Amino acid sequence: MKKPQRYIAHFDLDSFFVSVEVLNNPELKDKPVIVGGSRERGVVAACSYAARKFGVHSAMPMKKALQLCPQAILVRGSRGDYSRYSRWVTEIIAAKAPLFEKASIDEFYIDLTGMDKYFDPYQWTIDLRQEIIAKTKLPISFGLSANKLVSKIATDEAKPNGYLFVQPGKEREFLAPLPVNKIPGVGESTHIALKELGIKLIGDITKHTADELEKKLGKWGRDLWQKAHGIHFGEVHAYHEAKSISTENTFESNTNNTDFLLSELVRMTERVGYELRQDEKLTGCIAVKIRYPDFETTSRQTTINYTLRDDELILAAKDLFHKLYRKGQPVRLLGVRLSELTNHAVQASLFDDGEKKNNLYKAIDDVKNKFGKTFIQKGRTVRKEKED
């Protein structure tokens, strides 16, 4: 039986953080805007197209960015607004799409395979884009093709605020004239290595056999050959498949010691935070669960700015605990759960002191990986040994 023609759409919110800032302050429109941290030690989280003309790009040290574009307007960033708009766009897509994947805070894949029996996938994607723009006022681009790779590259070519459909069977023709570093995964070092082989355009790759490239570049060479031919088999992973991360503890004896309960809450939040970072995820929702001796179980959750940081998670967990806990009542079980997980977006960790904090968490996690999860704990979670 013949397999149905694949149709995969890739949506990307254009300069997402900057676009949100422009909605908050329309005077920023069409100006060189940089979203990020401090002038001296910060990093560029996002920049407008007007700033990109000067060579500024995300993840660049702020000091260098301001040297390239001294007239840039520096905005610290409204992280809560970014989370809110991301959820809004997610809800619009979820209400329409048969199957979608949230690749990051501002990036989505939609699988429309088989839907061409009922509607034109291209027109459907255009209509969805228009709905997102009409409701949120955010610019968004999309690429549509037979696979995730070509659609993502098509989106990049369609920006800013445009769309592009690469007809099935036209993948190689579309890719051939593009610079080779348009292929995701071709970093600076690979780009240099390919130039030395005389490969500047994606079409140049197709002049070599897969075996030749594998000899010169290892396994990556064969993968590169496939990508240059527009061959990619990556699946769209349903958004709801992003599992929550949770932990809970049933105490040996019921307790109403608030200090003890809070120390346990901090310990468990640190644990799920560690697992979150190991999975390279961000969370947008945290929940606390309390079970009493009569097995009555109550829980409460709250949406938060997408984060991977313990200090932010612990603050939210404590707030939920104080709202949920019936003072004086013994507790049998305590639990913490993180949900609304999305892939780690580099931009979400580039604000102000974010780099310093993330380096700290990375160092702590490295120690935990080497010596065990309980090797380093916050002072509050270390229980005093009973005196003899």
Side-chain angles (χ1 to χ4, degrees):
M1 188 174 178
K2 187 179 178 182
K3 288 185 178 180
Q5 175 60 55
R6 293 185 81 201
Y7 289 99
I8 309 294
H10 173 261
F11 277 85
D12 198 342
L13 289 157
D14 294 346
S15 298
F16 177 47
F17 294 168
V18 173
S19 297
V20 172
E21 296 301 334
V22 170
L23 288 178
N24 290 340
N25 180 9
E27 291 182 7
L28 296 175
K29 189 176 180 181
D30 298 326
K31 293 180 179 177
V33 178
I34 296 176
V35 179
S38 64
R39 290 177 175 270
E40 291 298 317
R41 298 177 62 86
V43 180
V44 176
C47 57
S48 66
Y49 286 97
R52 292 182 195 186
K53 291 177 182 177
F54 294 88
V56 180
H57 58 78
S58 61
M60 175 182 281
M62 188 65 71
K63 201 169 184 178
K64 182 179 179 183
L66 293 174
Q67 287 172 351
L68 292 171
C69 186
Q71 70 272 40
I73 301 168
L74 179 57
V75 181
R76 287 299 180 93
S78 312
R79 292 182 62 208
D81 287 340
Y82 305 150
S83 298
R84 181 168 61 85
Y85 274 101
S86 176
R87 287 191 183 95
W88 193 0
V89 174
T90 304
E91 288 168 4
I92 294 170
I93 292 173
K96 298 284 185 179
L99 173 64
F100 80 100
E101 173 185 340
K102 186 170 183 177
S104 71
I105 193 171
D106 57 359
E107 187 180 10
F108 306 83
Y109 289 97
I110 301 174
D111 192 341
L112 297 169
T113 303
M115 303 309 291
D116 52 335
K117 294 178 183 177
Y118 311 103
F119 52 73
D120 174 9
Y122 185 36
Q123 187 59 53
W124 184 94
T125 313
I126 292 172
D127 293 343
L128 177 60
R129 173 179 172 271
Q130 285 304 122
E131 182 177 348
I132 292 168
I133 293 172
K135 288 182 176 178
T136 68
K137 310 303 180 189
L138 290 169
I140 187 168
S141 299
F142 79 75
L144 177 67
S145 78
N147 62 61
K148 292 174 81 173
L149 170 76
V150 175
S151 292
K152 184 176 176 64
I153 296 173
T155 302
D156 288 339
E157 291 304 295
K159 290 181 178 181
N161 203 23
Y163 52 89
L164 184 61
F165 179 27
V166 179
Q167 296 274 357
K170 299 287 186 179
E171 295 86 2
R172 184 172 167 179
E173 182 182 326
F174 162 69
L175 294 170
L178 301 178
V180 72
N181 59 351
K182 287 283 186 177
I183 296 176
V186 175
E188 191 174 344
S189 58
T190 305
H191 193 199
I192 292 170
L194 290 171
K195 278 183 178 178
E196 290 173 352
L197 294 173
I199 296 173
K200 295 180 181 179
L201 304 177
I202 296 177
D204 295 334
I205 296 173
T206 62
K207 296 173 185 176
H208 299 259
T209 67
D211 289 338
E212 286 173 349
L213 289 172
E214 188 169 13
K215 283 180 182 178
K216 293 172 181 176
L217 300 170
K219 289 182 180 179
W220 168 238
R222 184 170 291 276
D223 186 47
L224 200 62
W225 183 89
Q226 284 193 324
K227 288 179 176 179
H229 285 77
I231 300 169
H232 190 256
F233 303 104
E235 298 291 329
V236 173
H237 299 287
Y239 180 56
H240 62 78
E241 288 181 1
K243 301 292 190 295
S244 61
I245 298 173
S246 63
T247 186
E248 55 186 42
N249 185 19
T250 301
F251 305 124
E252 290 182 9
S253 58
N254 303 331
T255 178
N256 60 0
N257 184 324
T258 305
D259 286 340
F260 170 78
L261 290 171
L262 284 171
S263 71
E264 278 297 293
L265 185 73
V266 170
R267 181 185 66 80
M268 288 190 287
T269 305
E270 286 180 324
R271 179 175 176 178
V272 291
Y274 166 79
E275 291 181 15
L276 183 75
R277 293 188 295 276
Q278 293 302 294
D279 289 345
E280 297 185 340
K281 299 285 186 183
L282 298 169
T283 180
C285 184
I286 184 169
V288 169
K289 178 167 76 172
I290 297 176
R291 180 171 294 156
Y292 296 100
D294 61 358
F295 284 87
E296 179 190 351
T297 304
T298 59
S299 63
R300 190 162 183 166
Q301 69 179 34
T302 185
T303 55
I304 56 176
N305 300 336
Y306 283 106
T307 188
L308 48 66
R309 300 175 190 156
D310 286 354
D311 56 328
E312 296 174 4
L313 296 172
I314 289 168
L315 192 66
K318 283 183 176 180
D319 182 58
L320 286 171
F321 175 84
H322 287 302
K323 289 176 179 176
L324 191 63
Y325 178 52
R326 298 202 296 264
K327 284 187 178 180
Q329 290 291 312
V331 172
R332 174 185 174 84
L333 174 148
L334 193 61
V336 178
R337 177 172 59 86
L338 306 179
S339 59
E340 281 194 34
L341 308 184
T342 187
N343 290 344
H344 190 307
V346 147
Q347 298 100 320
S349 61
L350 295 179
F351 294 100
D352 211 15
D353 61 348
E355 187 177 15
K356 199 182 294 182
K357 277 187 181 179
N358 290 340
N359 287 339
L360 172 63
Y361 286 130
K362 185 180 185 306
I364 291 172
D365 290 346
D366 286 345
V367 172
K368 287 182 176 181
N369 288 337
K370 188 172 182 180
F371 298 104
K373 294 179 185 178
T374 59
F375 191 80
I376 295 180
Q377 300 177 41
K378 276 189 165 49
R380 180 158 203 167
T381 67
V382 180
R383 303 173 194 170
K384 293 180 180 178
E385 290 183 3
K386 292 183 179 180
E387 293 183 2
D388 294 331

